[in-house]
Amino acid sequence: MKQTCNKNVGSKINIFKWSQEMDLLAYGTEKGEVFVHRLKWQKVWQLSPPEDGLKVRGIAWRPCYSNGTVLLVDLETKEEIHSFSIKTDITCLCWTDNTDEMAANDVSYNAVTSHTKYLPELPVLSSLSSSAKPLNPNRSSFCSKHILSILLIGTTTGLVYISALGMLPCDSIDVFSTLGLSSSSDASIREIKMSNDFKQLIVGIEQNETLHVVVLENDVLHKNAPAVLNLALKYAQILNTMSYMNETIDCIIEAWETVLLEMDNKLTNYAKDQTDGSISADFLELLMFGTASPSLEQFLLRDLTEKGLRKLGYSIELSYVTIQRLVVKPLYTAIHAMFYHLNTLDGMLRNRFYYGMLMRDAATATEVLRSCGALQIKAHELQQTIDASKRDFKIFFRWLYVVIVRVMDESLQENHPTITQREIHYLAQFLSNFDTVNQNTTADESRGMMESRKKFNLERVGQYLEDKPLIRPMVKDDENEWKKLLEENECLRKCDAIYPHYENMSLIQQQKLLNKSIDQLFDQPGKVIGADFKQKNLLTVQTSTASSGTNVRSFAFACHQRDQLTLMSILQSNRSLLLAECFHDGGLKAVRLHFEEKPYFDQRFDAFGTLTFQHVEFYDEETLSLLLRAQTSTDERVASSYFVQLNLGPVREFLATVETRGYMQTVTEDAAGCATLNLYTLIDDSSLKLLESSDGHKIAVSGKRNVIALLSESMKNVRIYDMDGQNEEDDILDTSSQINSSLDNSQESVQT
């Protein structure tokens, strides 16, 4: 055991945890910041809280915050993969993985992984729009292995939220109601853990000086784990596509607002001074008779000008080109990807034997698919509107330029294009709609428009980007034979394979309809899984008020793979440690470990003084890491910190002789309710490692990486120890022995 790092931090550390797969330590500070460091305290990245004043409540390599916000963060790029809120304060969170890949006998494996083969990558938005966020368009690829991971979130209100891959909601369980506790009580969820086969859920609820350990059991998640994984993967792909689509539409809206800004700067003041209906009349009169009203002529010569007209036309055309580029490439690609994912989901859910327990209403998937088809039709309609608007604006500005030049008694350029008769027809339609108001507008809305005075009603694209019905839907094409066929055949019009066209809905409304239908579809697995959890066992742990520690100091879990059980360590106080085994059938065995009086014939521990517990964590499924505090009888103010690795083999051998309890009773600190073991008989004095820091407060351990981290009482100092490292003295001895051996070898070679 060798100290490799000793660092002071600027803010108090509330929580810290090792990665079990990499040499990384994550910790959250009292300021709500999350840091990730390597073994040598090399900073990997720093994550600020989403809002000021938030605290980090839990880290399971995805931090959660005190306002109920949970972030899934990419470890390599610090990019936010997914975020959601449970709208209540969080107390803890935990990941449970099934280490066995499920692809071997999975009927839907190809359906959830083949999208990379058939779908093109989503375009990078930052290359098409300067306002786009630098996001990875393929964030759903974070789950590279076909392994189900369940995210558990405990709250102050007694709810346990279950989420597959941190994406698919699997409902919430009200554990307080199971124990008859109200949500307004002073109880809170201390720790949660799920068995690796997803059959058992163990919840620790702390209330004053009592800890209730509730064992819940379910069969739906346990038996349908492969199906839940497939649905979670597909939902992650859909969520990623939906987020990309939302970002694309935000970029389109920003480009559209640029169009409005340009028109507002030039045309709004003129429109405010005109009476209703006079704007279209003045421009149509100018088109038909070539004469402009005094106010219009003044506007063209003084406010708009020839140079301003050219600049306005160029700005609007550039904005429309940006919008069109965003619609044609990223938006179309995202909708096609969404259409693909929903099609594969619809095909998956038709396997009622495999998904029938989780998705009881397969018809809902078909309705979601129809909503996506309607969105695709609406995007195509928006593209047609953009084409028409570009055409009309070009004609309008070209004609208006000719008018301004003639009013100024100047001659046109020789190569200036003329306006054709067909373009005059488009121009007349364009001018006639300057003052149009939606006919479906209510009287109150109409009065509001009159009071605020209308602007130039030139723009047709923006109505698709507002959360309200279209003011001016596209003109119906009476020559469209397909629409005639649908209108004449109701059975064909209602066919699931033919997607509807909602003519009066905007693109935003259509998008919200799709999002809502997707949320409703994926609500079904959670309702089924959550309703299946039933209480299997209960263990009540009480702490004596006479003890110096009146609350549970630590609560840790470890899943034993070989024996298919869950180990629990509960530090009742600085004198008592409870170790329990929870079996597959819900049975519990418990033993209390404590430091009794030292055996009179054993003087090995006399030099250490009185040993008490400070903090405990599972190093692995066979070892328990103990942080101990030693205090001598000569000077009570002097205390030392020791670290020891407790082999659980002898303890579990003793537990094998203990009777299994189908329904546990209360376990108190005075040995009532379970067997006891004197910890002095289980450890050796040579196993006690004296730590340089005498104010050890908490430890974080990683058995796979063979490291521990020690947090001081001030919570601002972290020491890292390598469990495989050698002390400096050992290094010197090894080096000297190597030198001596090399000298001996050289002497032998000389002699020969």
Side-chain angles (χ1 to χ4, degrees):
M1 182 176 176
K2 180 181 179 181
Q3 179 177 313
T4 60
C5 184
N6 182 4
K7 291 293 181 180
N8 294 319
V9 294
S11 302
K12 289 185 178 180
I13 296 177
N14 294 332
I15 185 171
F16 66 140
K17 195 166 188 178
W18 282 105
S19 168
Q20 296 300 319
E21 303 297 333
M22 292 170 286
D23 58 340
L24 297 174
L25 176 68
Y27 64 90
T29 68
E30 62 180 357
K31 294 182 179 180
E33 297 173 317
V34 177
F35 294 83
V36 175
H37 285 267
R38 295 195 182 277
L39 278 176
K40 300 297 183 180
W41 209 252
Q42 178 186 357
K43 183 177 177 181
V44 180
W45 49 258
Q46 172 184 351
L47 183 67
S48 300
E51 297 178 14
D52 293 337
L54 296 184
K55 305 295 183 183
V56 180
R57 296 301 194 203
I59 290 180
W61 290 92
R62 284 91 170 171
C64 63
Y65 295 93
S66 54
N67 66 341
T69 300
V70 180
L71 302 182
L72 271 68
V73 182
D74 185 274
L75 187 59
E76 298 295 334
T77 63
K78 198 182 72 170
E79 179 186 354
E80 179 185 313
I81 297 174
H82 179 56
S83 66
F84 59 94
S85 178
I86 57 177
K87 303 187 186 310
T88 185
D89 200 355
I90 295 174
T91 57
C92 58
L93 76 163
C94 173
W95 283 92
T96 298
D97 298 330
N98 189 330
T99 56
D100 299 328
E101 289 205 33
M102 302 178 182
N105 301 317
D106 194 345
V107 297
S108 299
Y109 177 73
N110 290 331
V112 296
T113 57
S114 59
H115 67 282
T116 56
K117 184 187 303 183
Y118 299 110
L119 286 179
E121 291 188 359
L122 298 174
V124 180
L125 282 177
S126 56
S127 63
L128 300 173
S129 175
S130 58
S131 61
K133 299 177 182 178
L135 299 178
N136 179 11
N138 300 293
R139 289 173 289 172
S140 61
S141 60
F142 76 97
C143 187
S144 58
K145 296 182 180 180
H146 206 66
I147 295 176
L148 178 60
S149 298
I150 299 294
L151 176 62
L152 306 172
I153 305 172
T155 66
T156 55
T157 57
L159 294 177
V160 175
Y161 289 86
I162 305 175
S163 176
L165 300 182
M167 296 280 189
L168 178 65
C170 294
D171 208 20
S172 59
I173 305 170
D174 190 354
V175 188
F176 279 8
S177 63
T178 304
L179 298 178
L181 301 174
S182 63
S183 58
S184 60
S185 63
D186 53 358
S188 65
I189 295 178
R190 176 65 182 265
E191 199 64 63
I192 46 180
K193 184 68 176 180
M194 182 173 281
S195 59
N196 287 339
D197 60 357
F198 309 121
K199 187 177 180 64
Q200 287 183 346
L201 176 65
I202 305 175
V203 185
I205 301 175
E206 192 170 22
Q207 184 183 25
N208 295 330
E209 300 164 7
T210 303
L211 180 72
H212 305 282
V213 181
V214 186
V215 181
L216 303 171
E217 192 174 277
N218 88 97
D219 287 326
V220 175
L221 186 58
H222 168 64
K223 295 179 180 179
N224 298 275
V228 173
L229 172 60
N230 291 331
L231 290 176
L233 286 171
K234 185 54 64 178
Y235 186 53
Q237 296 162 7
I238 291 174
L239 278 182
N240 175 63
T241 308
M242 191 185 304
S243 299
Y244 180 86
M245 195 183 304
N246 295 340
E247 180 67 21
T248 303
I249 292 179
D250 288 342
C251 294
I252 293 174
I253 292 176
E254 186 162 342
W256 165 61
E257 290 174 346
T258 303
V259 177
L260 291 182
L261 180 63
E262 292 294 334
M263 288 195 295
D264 283 349
N265 290 337
K266 293 292 183 182
L267 308 176
T268 301
N269 292 331
Y270 173 73
K272 286 181 178 180
D273 297 333
Q274 307 303 312
T275 59
D276 287 337
S278 63
I279 300 176
S280 293
D282 289 345
F283 276 94
L284 285 173
E285 183 179 352
L286 180 61
L287 176 65
M288 296 297 296
F289 305 108
T291 58
S293 63
S295 60
L296 180 57
E297 182 176 344
Q298 184 179 9
F299 167 71
L300 295 176
L301 295 178
R302 189 182 67 180
D303 298 332
L304 191 56
T305 71
E306 176 187 352
K307 183 178 179 181
L309 181 64
R310 288 181 180 274
K311 183 179 178 181
L312 178 60
Y314 175 78
S315 299
I316 292 177
E317 182 178 5
L318 182 62
S319 298
Y320 272 131
V321 169
T322 302
I323 295 174
Q324 193 169 37
R325 198 166 51 189
L326 290 169
V327 172
V328 170
K329 195 172 183 180
L331 185 58
Y332 274 10
T333 306
I335 294 177
H336 293 162
M338 179 71 76
F339 195 76
Y340 174 89
H341 291 312
L342 292 176
N343 258 304
T344 56
L345 178 65
D346 188 41
M348 289 165 54
L349 298 185
R350 292 181 186 274
N351 186 348
R352 303 302 298 157
F353 176 79
Y354 202 67
Y355 296 100
M357 178 64 73
L358 298 171
M359 307 291 283
R360 294 174 179 171
D361 187 7
T364 310
T366 305
E367 291 301 319
V368 177
L369 193 59
R370 286 171 58 84
S371 297
C372 185
L375 178 63
Q376 188 172 0
I377 294 174
K378 187 60 65 175
H380 180 66
E381 181 183 322
L382 173 60
Q383 173 62 24
Q384 290 180 312
T385 304
I386 294 173
D387 288 336
S389 295
K390 287 173 62 179
R391 178 202 64 199
D392 293 342
F393 270 113
K394 282 184 178 180
I395 299 172
F396 174 66
F397 286 122
R398 195 194 315 160
W399 167 73
L400 210 57
Y401 173 76
V402 174
V403 171
I404 293 176
V405 170
R406 288 178 177 174
V407 171
M408 296 174 62
D409 293 331
E410 296 181 0
S411 58
L412 291 172
Q413 298 177 359
E414 295 181 0
N415 59 350
H416 188 79
T418 58
I419 300 177
T420 64
Q421 190 63 36
R422 185 174 182 82
E423 290 176 338
I424 291 177
H425 173 71
Y426 288 138
L427 180 59
Q429 288 184 331
F430 183 66
L431 298 177
S432 63
N433 291 302
F434 276 8
D435 297 287
T436 56
V437 180
N438 186 10
Q439 296 178 355
N440 297 325
T441 304
T442 62
D444 292 339
E445 292 175 345
S446 180
R447 281 195 298 270
M449 289 181 180
M450 292 292 292
E451 292 174 359
S452 60
R453 308 298 298 174
K454 298 194 310 298
K455 304 174 183 178
F456 263 82
N457 194 13
L458 301 177
E459 222 273 319
R460 297 290 177 265
V461 176
Q463 60 180 343
Y464 288 88
L465 306 176
E466 295 180 339
D467 188 13
K468 58 184 180 182
L470 298 179
I471 298 175
R472 185 170 176 263
M474 288 192 67
V475 179
K476 293 185 178 180
D477 187 2
D478 296 333
E479 298 180 358
N480 192 319
E481 297 295 335
W482 173 250
K483 288 186 177 181
K484 289 182 180 179
L485 181 63
L486 292 181
E487 291 174 357
E488 295 172 359
N489 297 273
E490 183 179 359
C491 60
L492 188 63
R493 187 168 64 250
K494 294 183 178 181
C495 177
D496 292 339
I498 298 177
Y499 305 120
H501 179 206
Y502 302 105
E503 297 180 354
N504 294 324
M505 292 184 67
S506 65
L507 182 72
I508 300 299
Q509 288 180 313
Q510 201 76 66
Q511 178 203 16
K512 287 190 173 182
L513 179 63
L514 175 61
N515 295 349
K516 182 179 179 181
S517 57
I518 289 175
D519 292 340
Q520 291 175 348
L521 173 64
F522 284 98
D523 275 347
Q524 297 185 51
K527 295 177 181 178
V528 177
I529 294 173
D532 191 61
F533 276 95
K534 300 292 186 288
Q535 181 179 338
K536 187 70 175 180
N537 213 326
L538 175 65
L539 171 65
T540 302
V541 182
Q542 290 186 344
T543 303
S544 173
T545 56
S547 173
S548 58
T550 57
N551 61 345
V552 175
R553 287 172 172 256
S554 68
F555 192 173
F557 292 99
C559 292
H560 203 284
Q561 300 285 349
R562 186 182 70 250
D563 297 336
Q564 294 295 311
L565 53 85
T566 302
L567 298 172
M568 291 182 288
S569 70
I570 303 170
L571 189 55
Q572 293 176 265
S573 67
N574 60 357
R575 295 176 53 250
S576 177
L577 170 64
L578 188 70
L579 187 69
E581 293 179 342
C582 182
F583 296 92
H584 190 269
D585 59 356
L588 282 169
K589 289 184 177 182
V591 60
R592 191 173 69 91
L593 306 177
H594 67 137
F595 289 104
E596 293 182 356
E597 292 185 4
K598 304 167 191 175
Y600 69 92
F601 56 84
D602 193 347
Q603 299 178 351
R604 294 175 301 162
F605 298 98
D606 290 345
F608 297 99
T610 303
L611 295 176
T612 56
F613 296 106
Q614 180 65 26
H615 194 245
V616 297
E617 286 285 344
F618 279 101
Y619 191 74
D620 53 38
E621 61 185 27
E622 301 290 348
T623 309
L624 186 66
S625 298
L626 306 177
L627 177 62
L628 305 178
R629 181 67 61 86
Q631 196 165 359
T632 60
S633 58
T634 56
D635 190 354
E636 297 182 356
R637 295 174 298 176
V638 178
S640 302
S641 293
Y642 288 90
F643 179 81
V644 63
Q645 299 281 59
L646 176 64
N647 182 13
L648 296 178
V651 181
R652 297 194 62 209
E653 288 180 4
F654 178 81
L655 279 173
T657 64
V658 177
E659 179 184 355
T660 303
R661 302 205 177 187
Y663 195 81
M664 289 294 294
Q665 298 177 352
T666 302
V667 176
T668 61
E669 193 182 352
D670 58 0
C674 69
T676 60
L677 282 177
N678 186 358
L679 198 56
Y680 282 116
T681 63
L682 299 177
I683 61 176
D684 191 82
D685 60 332
S686 60
S687 63
L688 291 171
K689 305 295 183 182
L690 178 63
L691 302 177
E692 295 180 10
S693 175
S694 61
D695 60 344
H697 175 65
K698 187 183 293 186
I699 56 174
V701 300
S702 174
K704 289 186 178 181
R705 309 304 302 183
N706 293 323
V707 291
I708 69 168
L710 175 67
L711 181 65
S712 65
E713 290 283 355
S714 65
M715 303 177 72
K716 289 187 177 183
N717 178 266
V718 178
R719 296 172 184 262
I720 297 178
Y721 295 87
D722 183 4
M723 301 304 295
D724 290 336
Q726 293 180 324
N727 293 327
E728 294 181 1
E729 296 179 358
D730 297 335
D731 294 341
I732 295 173
L733 291 175
D734 291 342
T735 305
S736 61
S737 62
Q738 292 175 3
I739 295 173
N740 293 332
S741 62
S742 61
L743 288 174
D744 294 338
N745 293 333
S746 63
Q747 290 175 0
E748 291 177 0
S749 61
V750 169
Q751 291 173 358
T752 57

